[in-house]
Amino acid sequence: MPATAPPILDFSPFYGTDAQAKAKLVGDVKNCCLHNGFFQIVGHKVPAELQERTINCVKEFFALPQELKEKVHKNQTTWNRGYENLGSQILEAGTQPDQKEGFYIGEEIPTTHSYFTQKKLNSGPNQWPVGLADPSAFQSTSMEYYKAMHALARDVLVVIAQTLGLAEDYFEKGFTKDAVATLRYLHYPPQQKDGDEKLKRGIGAHTDFGSVTLLMQDEVDGLQVWEKETSEWLDVVPTKGAYVVNLGNMFMRWSNDRYISNLHRVINKSGKERYSVPFFYSGNPDYVIDCLPNCRAEGEEKKYPPITVEGAVGGSYKASYGAAEAWKKELEGKKTGGAEVKVEAIAV
Ligand SMILES: O=C(O)CCC(=O)C(=O)O
Ligand SMILES: [Fe+2]
């Protein structure tokens, strides 16, 4: 059978009473988690109208004059909220900086909150742009969508718990309490059709850092998922209203590598502007990630020592920005005849 992009699963049985349909959903999700940790869902409860309003916010923000975007630059915070220029991150060693610009949003955490004072995982106040038609609508829509993503992530985790034979509320007992998550608005300008595919990426091949990612794509394609069985990149053709769901590195570690955090990338060769909205669910920063039950055969050792969510997610994040800085220094070095800086392989 030819390899296909992540299957589209109907999530609606999760909200219904049909036990057989629920069991099928759990079985399908399990197969995907074992295969490459990627699936797509329709039949969720996020209103299409809210998705559309959110995508409109994304487009309006990136259409702002550059100086207005830079007024809310994320470098003005140490907690990574706000605008990020094109080319700020390298997610694939050996490629040029990623051809995307972004805007980061998270929980509105006041500077008096312990998450802020203890510098927990990107926690702090958001930065909100000015110059939009209705700045307060941008803010309220963004936060409404952010909350809807939290709810959907928790529902997906209930199903994932069941795929491992765990109680439905397994993750709700601590992991999802006061959980940290990041919503990211992304814009990928069109890349030249004859561009060097090997070196230019919208986002270089990478795996995500956290537990689960929920991605809304607009109608322009470009996302590809690595298929290890056939060694090829499979296009994830956008399906209106669907979420691409994938497991991140922390979940893979948590499951003793039973479930997969898989490589994916974006190359925007469509000739059109591409927009997407990933939501990265990290979890409670103090929660300790230690091999989940039912993830080891009799007598099999744990592969990893326990680590907090903060420890697992925080480190990978820093590495990907360090690589882009190193690349820029290397260029400068070449121009001035200075010493070359080697771009390190990135552990993401
Ligand atoms: O834009 C996309 O389709 C994918 C984005 C992504 O993989 C990421 O931000 O980690
Ligand atoms: Fe990703």
Side-chain angles (χ1 to χ4, degrees):
M1 215 175 56
T4 51
I8 301 173
L9 308 178
D10 177 10
F11 202 71
S12 64
F14 176 77
Y15 302 108
T17 52
D18 181 342
Q20 230 178 332
K22 278 178 191 278
K24 178 168 182 338
L25 174 64
V26 171
D28 289 345
V29 168
K30 180 169 186 155
N31 287 338
C32 293
C33 291
L34 288 168
H35 176 64
N36 67 358
F38 261 91
F39 51 98
Q40 303 185 70
I41 54 172
V42 292
H44 50 74
K45 284 197 166 161
V46 185
E49 177 275 328
L50 175 58
Q51 292 184 318
E52 244 160 69
R53 252 190 299 137
T54 304
I55 288 283
N56 288 340
C57 285
V58 176
K59 291 180 180 169
E60 194 192 356
F61 174 76
F62 289 115
L64 283 175
Q66 190 62 23
E67 70 267 20
L68 283 186
K69 290 190 269 192
E70 292 190 4
K71 265 198 165 155
V72 287
H73 204 288
K74 79 192 239 306
N75 291 352
Q76 294 166 173
T77 72
T78 50
W79 52 99
N80 290 309
R81 298 289 176 86
Y83 175 67
E84 172 182 288
N85 293 88
L86 208 66
S88 300
Q89 209 177 14
I90 292 182
L91 281 162
E92 183 178 347
T95 64
Q96 294 173 28
D98 292 345
Q99 295 301 296
K100 62 165 170 36
E101 54 180 346
F103 183 70
Y104 286 74
I105 299 165
E107 190 77 40
E108 200 65 73
I109 301 282
T111 52
T112 48
H113 192 287
S114 62
Y115 278 9
F116 181 82
T117 55
Q118 294 169 21
K119 296 190 187 327
K120 299 280 178 192
L121 270 182
N122 300 336
S123 291
N126 286 307
Q127 297 199 80
W128 295 109
V130 295
L132 302 157
D134 186 347
S136 73
F138 179 92
Q139 193 171 332
S140 58
T141 296
S142 298
M143 292 318 288
E144 187 183 342
Y145 186 76
Y146 177 78
K147 287 195 171 64
M149 287 301 94
H150 263 277
L152 181 58
R154 287 196 303 269
D155 290 348
V156 167
L157 283 167
V158 169
V159 173
I160 292 177
Q162 290 171 289
T163 68
L164 290 167
L166 304 173
E168 286 184 17
D169 64 351
Y170 184 88
F171 295 116
E172 280 158 33
K173 289 197 176 127
F175 179 67
T176 64
K177 279 210 178 95
D178 301 320
V180 168
T182 298
L183 180 66
R184 202 178 190 195
Y185 292 168
L186 289 174
H187 169 220
Y188 301 85
Q191 291 180 225
Q192 280 167 343
K193 280 215 162 62
D194 57 356
D196 184 347
E197 271 195 48
K198 283 209 180 75
L199 291 175
K200 274 218 162 161
R201 302 277 185 261
I203 186 166
H206 69 283
T207 52
D208 291 347
F209 308 149
S211 63
V212 289
T213 304
L214 307 173
L215 172 82
M216 172 166 66
Q217 305 191 75
D218 195 27
E219 68 267 5
V220 175
D221 60 359
L223 174 64
Q224 298 181 315
V225 173
W226 179 246
E227 175 53 59
K228 59 180 182 295
E229 276 172 16
T230 52
S231 296
E232 62 188 324
W233 288 101
L234 301 176
D235 293 324
V236 186
V237 179
T239 298
K240 202 165 176 51
Y243 284 94
V244 180
V245 183
N246 65 286
L247 301 177
N249 299 350
M250 191 181 71
F251 205 96
M252 182 159 170
R253 171 184 179 133
W254 204 359
S255 72
N256 218 34
D257 293 347
R258 192 142 182 252
Y259 282 179
I260 307 298
S261 168
N262 195 43
L263 279 176
H264 53 287
R265 69 181 188 184
V266 172
I267 302 177
N268 182 13
K269 290 180 292 178
S270 63
K272 297 180 204 146
E273 308 295 326
R274 180 174 189 273
Y275 301 91
S276 71
V277 186
F279 173 81
F280 304 98
Y281 194 82
S282 298
N284 183 307
D286 298 319
Y287 190 85
V288 176
I289 299 295
D290 193 11
C291 185
L292 286 163
N294 306 331
C295 287
R296 282 182 289 162
E298 275 285 310
E300 192 186 334
E301 292 292 316
K302 286 181 195 175
K303 288 192 184 172
Y304 308 98
I307 189 170
T308 59
V309 166
E310 167 95 41
V313 180
S316 332
Y317 193 80
K318 288 189 190 100
S320 65
Y321 287 91
E325 282 306 306
W327 188 87
K328 283 173 194 158
K329 286 207 183 93
E330 184 186 341
L331 270 192
E332 278 163 25
K334 276 185 182 153
K335 274 188 219 137
T336 58
E340 280 202 10
V341 177
K342 191 175 173 295
V343 177
E344 299 283 315
I346 306 157
V348 288

